[in-house]
């Protein structure tokens, strides 16, 4: 796969990349406002990271379903509902691709309502290297201490109103915040 990040440069490279993408699915063109080389690299790395994670999951027999509040969300939600109803375990990262970081979006709550599967809040922390990306991607340091915490189940009624969904999303956010704080504390102690 070749990812071309069009940052609005005035040369013809964007039109050449677009023509290549139309002929070959291995070419991916991502457009963004012109914010310079570092911003373009950050976008490219983020796209690669998603593909890398999907390939790793596939090696373990898992399926990555991609979607977000800004790209492919409804189709991804439908696929996740289908998988949930087939008895598959579902794992989500609840914050959206454009942030804000660590703010749960409504997808997990909508999925729980549709499938009647409970939400199992999980937080993982480890000593790590943090990158300067929107989500502050973290790479665990080898042989470092880690903490894996699981919170109480959150159930969402199948007839939940919009207000109830918002309340469940806030509850999920609160539980994730507390679990993350506790996990971070446990990795910092000697």
């Amino acid at each position: 796969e070749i990812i071309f990040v069009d940052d609005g440069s005035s040369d013809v490279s964007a039109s050449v990349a677009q023509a290549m993408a139309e002929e070959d699915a291995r070419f991916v063109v991502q457009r963004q406002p012109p914010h310079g080389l570092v911003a373009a690299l950050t976008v490219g790395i983020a796209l690669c990271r998603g593909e890398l994670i999907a390939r790793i999951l596939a090696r373990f027999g898992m399926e990555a379903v991609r979607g977000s509040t800004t790209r492919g969300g409804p189709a991804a939600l439908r696929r996740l509902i289908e998988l949930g109803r087939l008895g598959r375990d579902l794992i989500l990262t609840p914050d959206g691709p454009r942030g804000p970081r660590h703010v749960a979006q409504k997808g997990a709550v909508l999925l729980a309502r549709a499938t009647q599967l409970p939400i199992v809040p999980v937080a993982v922390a480890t000593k790590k290297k943090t990158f300067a990306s929107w989500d502050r991607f973290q790479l665990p340091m080898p042989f470092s201490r880690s903490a894996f915490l699981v919170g109480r189940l959150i159930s969402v009624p199948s007839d939940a109103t919009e207000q109830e969904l918002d309340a469940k999303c806030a509850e999920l956010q609160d539980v994730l915040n507390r679990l993350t704080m506790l996990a971070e504390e446990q990795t910092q102690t000697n």
Side-chain angles (χ1 to χ4, degrees), residues 46 49 95-97 99 101-102 130-138:
R49 196 166 58 224
D95 51 0
R101 185 174 78 94
H102 294 274
T130 302
F131 293 87
S133 59
W134 78 268
D135 61 353
R136 298 187 44 156
F137 183 74
Q138 299 171 343

Side-chain angles (χ1 to χ4, degrees), residues 83-97:
L83 291 170
R85 289 178 176 163
L86 290 172
R88 299 279 301 270
D89 294 324
L90 308 173
I91 301 170
L92 286 84
T93 54
D95 51 0

Side-chain angles (χ1 to χ4, degrees), residues 94 103-110 119 154 156 162-176:
V103 174
Q105 302 297 313
K106 218 183 261 185
V109 173
L110 292 171
I119 298 170
I154 299 173
V156 181
E162 201 63 34
Q163 271 186 320
E164 291 169 320
L165 291 174
D166 289 338
K168 290 294 183 179
C169 196
E171 179 183 351
L172 173 61
Q173 180 68 55
D174 183 55
V175 171
L176 288 172

